[in-house]
Amino acid sequence: DTGVSQNPRHKITKRGQNVTFRCDPISEHNRLYWYRQTLGQGPEFLTYFQNEAQLEKSRLLSDRFSAERPKGSFSTLEIQRTEQGDSAMYLCASSLTYLDRGADTQYFGPGTRLTVL
Amino acid sequence: QQPVQSPQAVILREGEDAVINCSSSKALYSVHWYRQKHGEAPVFLMILLKGGEQKGHDKISASFNEKKQQSSLYLTASQLSYSGTYFCGTEILDSWGKLQFGAGTQVVVTP
């Protein structure tokens, strides 16, 4: 068990460019979450998957954001036409949780820090 | 839907106690507590479930008042390693499976 990994750890991009982040969850975990965290704030929920199914996406999330988990293992988060307001830490977390139960212990990855110039 | 945490920050000397509160305006199914050190990922501490079940850390305790939709985290006999920012994540009854996190409580433990 190597924990949740995220790549890249840092990304600097220019406004208007597209970026993609990857998250590899703990291998047996079926649930995967994406959060965004800005300085001085707690993680803000973006979306989550149960295996390959995307169960919910935050209503606050712009259409420029999309996430996939094609085979129920790793996930990608893409931001199109980045804006300076997208600068943040993007955290991924995974858990072993079943649909008939609520949220269980989430294990967080180290995050990807995005800076949009 | 974001829970409200208090205080925003607390400074302790080693060995002192502190309480961090988390309150929600919505009916809760569970409350999750995490600690995050600067530049690191949040680390799980404890889950408190509606109905009284708890899972988590041996040396940190917490309570969950279902009627008031509040939870408290108790840092007892604090150690230097307790320093960090503590977040509560709440799971509300009509939105199972996802957490909304508070803004955090910064804890500094000094020698």
Side-chain angles (χ1 to χ4, degrees), chain A residues 20 30 32 34 52 60 70 76-77 88-89 92 96 100 111 115:
Chain A
T20 300
N30 53 6
L32 187 148
W34 284 101
E52 65 274 11
L60 300 175
T76 58
L77 177 70
M89 177 73 84
C92 173
L96 182 61
D100 62 347
T115 302

Side-chain angles (χ1 to χ4, degrees), chain B:
Chain B
Q1 293 184 358
Q2 184 182 25
V4 177
Q5 286 187 236
S6 64
Q8 287 186 318
V10 60
I11 301 175
L12 300 167
R13 294 201 176 203
E14 263 187 299
E16 291 182 340
D17 302 338
V19 180
I20 300 170
N21 299 304
C22 173
S23 63
S24 172
S25 59
K26 302 270 188 177
L28 296 177
Y29 176 76
S30 68
V31 180
H32 302 227
W33 286 96
Y34 287 81
R35 178 173 60 212
Q36 186 175 31
K37 294 184 183 280
H38 183 70
E40 299 180 8
V43 173
F44 168 76
L45 295 176
M46 181 162 292
I47 291 177
L48 301 104
L49 299 173
K50 183 178 171 62
E53 184 183 350
Q54 294 186 21
K55 292 192 292 184
H57 208 281
D58 288 338
K59 296 186 178 179
I60 293 176
S61 62
S63 63
F64 180 17
N65 186 324
E66 295 174 31
K67 288 184 179 178
K68 292 187 177 181
Q69 315 307 332
Q70 291 176 349
S71 178
S72 296
L73 186 73
Y74 304 97
L75 305 180
T76 305
S78 58
Q79 306 170 15
L80 293 175
S81 62
Y82 287 8
S83 292
T85 302
Y86 289 76
F87 295 101
C88 68
T90 53
E91 182 184 16
I92 61 177
L93 280 176
D94 59 1
S95 187
W96 247 29
K98 72 176 190 186
L99 299 180
Q100 299 288 349
F101 284 91
T105 295
Q106 186 176 10
V107 173
V108 176
V109 181
T110 62

Side-chain angles (χ1 to χ4, degrees), chain A:
Chain A
D1 180 358
T2 57
V4 178
S5 62
Q6 293 186 244
N7 288 288
R9 295 291 308 278
H10 302 273
K11 179 71 176 178
I12 300 174
T13 191
K14 292 184 178 179
R15 190 175 52 188
Q17 297 294 306
N18 299 343
V19 293
T20 300
F21 310 141
R22 177 177 169 127
C23 171
D24 287 89
I26 293 172
S27 59
E28 67 270 22
H29 283 186
N30 53 6
R31 191 169 282 187
L32 187 148
Y33 298 81
W34 284 101
Y35 295 91
R36 176 172 60 193
Q37 187 175 28
T38 53
L39 196 62
Q41 296 297 315
E44 175 193 4
F45 170 80
L46 295 180
T47 188
Y48 80 105
F49 294 83
Q50 182 82 17
N51 298 310
E52 65 274 11
Q54 188 173 21
L55 295 190
E56 189 168 342
K57 183 176 175 181
S58 169
R59 282 173 285 178
L60 300 175
L61 205 59
S62 158
D63 288 344
R64 297 183 294 106
F65 287 72
S66 62
E68 293 183 339
R69 196 183 182 198
K71 296 183 180 179
S73 56
F74 74 91
S75 175
T76 58
L77 177 70
E78 182 183 17
I79 309 174
Q80 295 182 328
R81 304 181 304 282
T82 52
E83 301 172 356
Q84 288 185 325
D86 297 331
S87 295
M89 177 73 84
Y90 289 84
L91 293 166
C92 173
S94 70
S95 68
L96 182 61
T97 308
Y98 296 95
L99 281 173
D100 62 347
R101 289 182 52 181
D104 211 321
T105 304
Q106 295 184 27
Y107 296 87
F108 282 83
T112 295
R113 181 166 295 284
L114 173 66
T115 302
V116 181
L117 302 176

